[in-house]
Amino acid sequence: MSSVGSHQEQLSQSDPSPSPNSCSSFELLDMDAGSLYEPVSPHWFYCKIIDSKETWIPFNSEDSQQLEDAYGSGKDCNGRVVPTDGGRYDVHLGERMRYAVYWDELASEVRRCTWFYKGDKDNKYVPYSESFSQVLEETYMLAVTLDEWKKKLESPNREIIILHNPKLMVHYQPVAGSDEWGSTPTEQGRPRTVKRGVENISVDIHCGEPLQIDHLVFVVHGIGPACDLRFRSIVQCVNDFRSVSLNLLQTHFKKAQENQQIGRVEFLPVNWHSPLHSTGVDVDLQRITLPSINRLRHFTNDTILDVFFYNSPTYCQTIVDTVASEMNRIYTLFLQRNPDFKGGVSIAGHSLGSLILFDILTNQKDSLGDIDSEKDAPNIVMGQGDTLTLEEDLEKLQLSEFFSIFEKEKVDKEALALCTDKDLQEMGIPLGPRKKILNYIRTRKKSTGINRPILQPASGVNISNIPKELEFCNKTDSTGNGDYLDVGIGQVSVKYPRLIYKPEIFFAFGSPIGMFLTVRGLKRIDPNYKFPTCKGFFNIYHPFDPVAYRIEPMVVPGVEFEPMLIPHHKGRKRMHLELREGLTRMSMDLKNNLLGSLRMAWKSFTRAPYPALQASETAEETEAESESSSEKLSDVNTEEASVAVKEVPPINVGMLNGGQRIDYVLQEKPIESFNEYLFALQSHLCYWESEDTVLLVLKEIYQTQGIFLDQPLQ
């Protein structure tokens, strides 16, 4: 190594640009040979433990350049901190370590990489250490400058590296037993390939991501520590979700990006499983767990029991406190690190995580510390218990003949509950039926048992029209530390914490909210109800997801209608769904004798399907279509148009999502449609890498800012 250093010293002392008066052939030759050498371009990598193996992953181009600039600034690297990965990780340059900012994670090693060798098993290139890479680079420079190859070096691990020529460099591992006799390593065994510079190895390096953050989304996981079939954590799954969103922004919001209208959406994970299971409950469970089928019982204790924990007052309090405090902590830290952030905040929950968020949002107050504003809060919420109509009640009392009188006087069920004996007498109801009705009303009030103080109703709402069972109640804890809302929907009585921000949209993925509300005894959700602090709510699910349930039938229990179909991210529906619907439509048309010829049947088959998401058509388009249809077989097309109008009727599903639809269903893939049961578990865990799901989230978030997709999907 000393000879290499002396050669380099002589080269560094020599003048790289000889005088024009010098005509020495040696100097000219030396100048030509030296001009072939170009310094290697370094790239920064970090080490990640994946499946118990060390894997070196490159930073994106922008982060690597930022690290290189900090390294080459001439300042002391100790204490230098460089934010990377959109500010989610900090690199401590002096330590050469990478730390997570918003969550707990093992620190990973960082390396400035120039030389690589191919690994033994996975054939991935591994970087040499920075010190040995420098030795390799010096040797390479001498070989190129002096045109002397077949250079042999020995690594600190007694491995031999031979530089045969610029395109052939090999690495030999030490032979077992050679060190025992003190002999030098030999060139035996299968050689590894050595490469110089990151551009010569096969690795994907991303360009980077926009610095501007338009919106922040917190993502809460469901049961267990693993979130997908590969047993990855919530952090890894949210990273995938985030990567998909960055790709979709480039493809579906290209115009907005080119006009610098948007940057990106930041997704941050919220972990509540680890704090819950660090309370000592695992030790208590282990003492009572049977020794048989140990792995299955351990899996049950670690995952499925989370549902029972949430129904326990003690651990439910721990869970909601953890989720709310984590979101508040991360939000505060995010604002500290992004002082220029002016965007909104949304929340997303998967599986049980969506139920946790639903309960937290239900128990928020409209204003933080502003009592007066509570008078304007829409506290008319969830209908519980009796859902019979007035006509059904009268039929139950065998008084159906008096329904016409109440209908004439415009007395509904709520108004009847406020009527006195004198009122009924004035309407012409005989004494016997009056007593029956009054006794029934009195019995029903007692059964609800709501004699608790209620919050003020929304402005403009007549409190006389609100039945007691549709109201929140306000409770104060015995310690006097504040009050919390008991919405009367059967959830565990705990003190729900307050969020320090107002979420704009709540996204639920594969959510069992509808099922939990039903088993809690909730019959319906009042159409006027909306979250006190959150404007939007989207229930997104896969059709084969065994954990997912709908919400809209609880708002409109008497109407059967399909959920909104989420369009494919590439546009239209998946081919097998279009084929199925086309064949069904054609067979129905032929069966009803709406089409008179095979030609018209074929036109029906190839007719474009109706949009999966309701799109508003302009009046001009509608008129143009009606005029063209009237010219061609007006009778048939008029019937078709009337059928089409009936297929997509306007549906009012209340104010829970601001008047918009709530339930959105993904389209299954062609392979999934062959066997629903085979893909059931996978369907519950598919949302993290689903482009269709991510695109719907981005679409709804950016619509709040007045930014739309380049081309509306159908």
Side-chain angles (χ1 to χ4, degrees), residues 53-54 61 64 69 73 80 112-113 118 225 286 300 320 410 446 466 475 478 524 544 572 621 624 631-632 643 658 675:
K53 296 179 183 178
E54 287 189 355
S61 301
S64 180
D69 292 343
S73 62
R80 290 292 299 274
R112 182 177 182 263
C113 305
K118 185 174 286 189
Q286 191 59 37
T300 301
V320 296
K410 296 183 179 180
K446 286 182 180 180
I466 305 172
K475 284 188 177 182
S478 58
R524 65 185 179 90
F544 303 156
R572 298 174 64 87
E621 291 175 347
E631 294 175 1
K632 306 174 186 178
V643 173
N675 193 321

Side-chain angles (χ1 to χ4, degrees), residues 535-678:
K535 300 176 183 176
F537 176 35
F538 291 85
N539 182 38
I540 303 168
Y541 61 92
H542 190 283
F544 303 156
D545 188 341
V547 180
Y549 289 81
R550 291 191 63 183
I551 298 293
E552 291 173 340
M554 299 190 71
V555 183
V556 193
V559 182
E560 291 188 6
F561 54 95
E562 295 296 322
M564 293 296 289
L565 186 67
I566 299 175
H568 191 258
H569 65 283
K570 293 184 179 179
R572 298 174 64 87
K573 296 181 181 178
R574 294 185 185 271
M575 185 177 295
H576 70 288
L577 294 179
E578 286 196 5
L579 181 63
R580 183 193 305 166
E581 291 185 4
L583 291 172
T584 304
R585 186 167 57 245
M586 185 177 70
S587 63
M588 289 297 295
D589 287 345
L590 291 172
K591 181 179 179 181
N592 296 331
N593 202 20
L594 293 178
L595 302 178
S597 65
L598 185 60
R599 173 174 168 273
M600 293 304 298
W602 176 249
K603 287 181 66 177
S604 172
F605 175 73
T606 56
R607 185 172 63 216
Y610 300 108
L613 297 182
Q614 293 176 350
S616 59
E617 296 181 352
T618 62
E620 294 179 359
E621 291 175 347
T622 308
E623 290 175 5
E625 288 178 3
S626 61
E627 287 176 5
S628 61
S629 62
S630 63
E631 294 175 1
K632 306 174 186 178
L633 300 174
S634 58
D635 295 337
V636 175
N637 287 335
T638 302
E639 291 179 4
E640 288 184 23
S642 63
V643 173
V645 171
K646 293 178 182 178
E647 284 186 7
V648 190
I651 300 171
N652 181 13
V653 291
M655 298 305 296
L656 194 55
N657 190 24
Q660 300 182 58
R661 295 291 301 274
I662 300 171
D663 293 335
Y664 287 79
V665 61
L666 292 165
Q667 301 178 37
E668 73 271 17
K669 297 177 181 177
I671 191 174
E672 293 173 343
S673 60
F674 286 110
N675 193 321
E676 300 178 2
Y677 296 94
L678 185 63

Side-chain angles (χ1 to χ4, degrees), residues 237-245 267 509 687-688 693-694 697:
C237 290
V238 171
N239 283 346
D240 271 358
F241 200 88
R242 185 175 182 274
S243 299
V244 173
S245 75
F267 297 90
F509 305 140
Y687 307 99
W688 308 115
T693 301
V694 179
V697 170

Side-chain angles (χ1 to χ4, degrees), residues 145-385:
T145 305
L146 302 176
D147 197 22
E148 295 178 1
W149 291 95
K150 294 193 180 295
K151 296 282 187 179
K152 184 183 295 187
L153 295 93
E154 182 179 339
S155 75
N157 297 329
R158 306 277 293 169
E159 298 173 343
I160 297 296
I161 294 94
I162 301 176
L163 310 182
H164 290 286
N165 57 59
K167 295 185 178 180
L168 179 59
M169 295 175 279
V170 292
H171 175 141
Y172 292 96
Q173 291 180 290
V175 180
S178 62
D179 292 337
E180 297 177 3
W181 302 96
S183 58
T184 58
T186 57
E187 303 168 21
Q188 296 182 9
R190 186 178 179 183
R192 295 170 169 176
T193 304
V194 177
K195 294 292 184 182
R196 174 179 179 266
V198 71
E199 63 274 3
N200 293 317
I201 65 174
S202 56
V203 62
D204 293 330
I205 300 177
H206 300 287
C207 297
E209 56 192 49
L211 296 178
Q212 176 188 337
I213 301 176
D214 304 317
H215 204 88
L216 176 63
V217 180
F218 294 115
V219 185
V220 180
H221 65 85
I223 62 172
C227 295
D228 67 355
L229 291 176
R230 288 177 280 175
F231 298 98
R232 296 184 305 166
S233 66
I234 179 64
V235 174
Q236 294 170 305
C237 290
V238 171
N239 283 346
D240 271 358
F241 200 88
R242 185 175 182 274
S243 299
V244 173
S245 75
L246 290 172
N247 293 333
L248 289 174
L249 285 175
Q250 294 176 358
T251 56
H252 290 70
F253 293 87
K254 192 173 182 180
K255 292 180 181 177
Q257 279 198 336
E258 290 175 351
N259 297 332
Q260 297 183 344
Q261 292 178 285
I262 64 171
R264 61 183 172 89
V265 177
E266 184 62 276
F267 297 90
L268 296 178
V270 177
N271 181 14
W272 57 267
H273 181 269
S274 300
L276 170 66
H277 288 262
S278 63
T279 58
V281 65
D282 287 355
V283 177
D284 298 335
L285 283 173
Q286 191 59 37
R287 286 198 293 264
I288 60 175
T289 301
L290 301 181
S292 58
I293 53 174
N294 183 52
R295 290 186 179 180
L296 181 58
R297 295 186 193 278
H298 176 74
F299 173 79
T300 301
N301 290 350
D302 209 30
T303 55
I304 300 175
L305 285 189
D306 285 348
V307 178
F308 297 97
F309 285 141
Y310 190 64
N311 288 321
S312 159
T314 302
Y315 296 108
C316 179
Q317 187 70 66
T318 301
I319 292 172
V320 296
D321 284 347
T322 301
V323 171
S325 62
E326 270 294 284
M327 290 196 294
N328 288 340
R329 179 190 68 83
I330 296 173
Y331 180 68
T332 304
L333 180 58
F334 179 83
L335 291 183
Q336 291 174 359
R337 295 176 63 90
N338 301 272
D340 298 330
F341 176 71
K342 303 297 181 184
V345 183
S346 293
I347 55 178
H350 177 241
S351 189
L352 182 63
S354 63
L355 177 66
I356 298 169
L357 291 176
F358 182 89
D359 288 341
I360 291 176
L361 287 179
T362 303
N363 287 274
Q364 295 299 296
K365 290 186 178 179
D366 186 32
S367 180
L368 303 176
D370 188 358
I371 299 176
D372 293 336
S373 66
E374 288 181 3
K375 295 180 181 179
D376 299 326
N379 295 317
I380 311 164
V381 282
M382 302 184 173
Q384 184 183 7

Side-chain angles (χ1 to χ4, degrees), residues 422-484:
K422 186 178 179 181
D423 295 329
L424 295 176
Q425 186 177 2
E426 289 177 354
M427 283 188 282
I429 308 295
L431 177 62
R434 289 205 310 269
K435 294 298 182 182
K436 282 186 179 182
I437 293 172
L438 291 172
N439 181 63
Y440 178 73
I441 294 173
R442 188 165 50 251
T443 304
R444 193 161 61 90
K445 284 183 178 180
K446 286 182 180 180
S447 66
T448 57
I450 299 180
N451 296 316
R452 301 166 290 190
I454 61 172
L455 294 180
Q456 294 293 331
S459 58
V461 178
N462 185 1
I463 193 170
S464 63
N465 293 330
I466 305 172
K468 294 282 185 180
E469 60 268 29
L470 296 184
E471 296 168 347
F472 271 134
C473 67
N474 189 10
K475 284 188 177 182
T476 304
D477 64 349
S478 58
T479 60
N481 292 331
D483 50 13
Y484 64 93

